[in-house]
Amino acid sequence: MAPPNDAAAMTPLIRDASAAAGGALRLEPPALQPNVGAMLHDVARLIRRRFERRARQTGLPITRQQARALLLIARHEGLSQAAIATMLDVEPIALVRLLDRLHEEGLVERRAHATDRRVRTLWLTPLAWEVVDRILAINAEVREEACAGLSPAVRAALMAALGHMKSNLLSVDETETAAAE
């Protein structure tokens, strides 16, 4: 398999000799190989699928999105629903439905904000902390499966590179958002 190619826009076009009347313009074959975005998407999809399979196998009735929400609430107990929705990059109404399910399972409590009656803050129940431990264990298993054969140095470099890419994109996004306002 060819290495990921991020230079597709710079790859010259070639004439397809089989096309009628002079041939159609086509990209060189290397330009059509998966790029960083496609590879990251595929890896993320496979990690999500593996997490959900392991959760089912261990009897943990939770989706990856529910697990993400629980982990975010665990890291930031007391934040508002709106703040958690922003962190998850979901619409508030979608988060409400997700929280309703977690509440029904006895995992999340919604409490009134201390100074603003319109705001609901999110807290984990004691049962949820047990679920968080199970989520973290499954995450560790999946991470080990995904990174099998990678040395600690390569794993650290991968995390640093992904962190750098994330920072770059957030910076560009912030700049564009500020320019649009």
Side-chain angles (χ1 to χ4, degrees):
M1 182 173 144
N5 181 357
D6 290 317
M10 296 183 290
T11 302
L13 297 173
I14 59 171
R15 290 254 173 222
D16 181 356
S18 65
L25 294 179
R26 303 269 178 162
L27 291 173
E28 292 280 355
L32 301 174
Q33 297 303 310
N35 62 27
V36 169
M39 194 66 73
L40 287 172
H41 176 79
D42 288 347
V43 170
R45 178 180 46 80
L46 292 167
I47 285 173
R48 281 191 305 273
R49 183 189 304 167
R50 188 72 188 130
F51 173 88
E52 290 186 353
R53 183 176 296 135
R54 287 293 301 137
R56 280 192 310 276
Q57 289 170 346
T58 61
L60 185 62
I62 197 164
T63 66
R64 184 70 188 142
Q65 188 71 346
Q66 290 169 334
R68 284 186 67 220
L70 285 175
L71 290 177
L72 273 174
I73 296 167
R75 287 185 204 117
H76 307 284
E77 270 195 306
L79 277 185
S80 69
Q81 290 182 185
I84 296 295
T86 298
M87 292 172 147
L88 288 171
D89 196 25
V90 298
E91 293 296 321
I93 190 66
L95 179 66
V96 167
R97 287 191 292 268
L98 187 144
L99 291 174
D100 286 345
R101 286 191 294 273
L102 293 174
H103 180 76
E104 289 168 9
E105 295 291 326
L107 301 174
V108 172
E109 292 179 9
R110 294 174 173 125
R111 298 181 190 166
H113 190 273
T115 59
D116 189 343
R117 293 181 312 163
R118 299 167 296 171
V119 175
R120 306 296 286 174
T121 59
L122 300 173
W123 302 84
L124 296 185
T125 66
L127 175 61
W129 286 103
E130 294 173 23
V131 172
V132 165
D133 287 341
R134 292 174 66 189
I135 290 168
L136 293 174
I138 292 169
N139 282 349
E141 290 174 16
V142 172
R143 185 172 45 253
E144 285 306 310
E145 291 170 358
C147 294
L150 298 178
S151 70
V154 170
R155 291 178 187 207
L158 173 62
M159 290 304 293
L162 291 172
H164 186 87
M165 291 169 67
K166 179 179 177 180
S167 180
N168 286 346
L169 293 170
L170 286 172
S171 177
V172 168
D173 193 45
E174 289 171 6
T175 302
E176 289 176 351
T177 300
E181 293 175 350

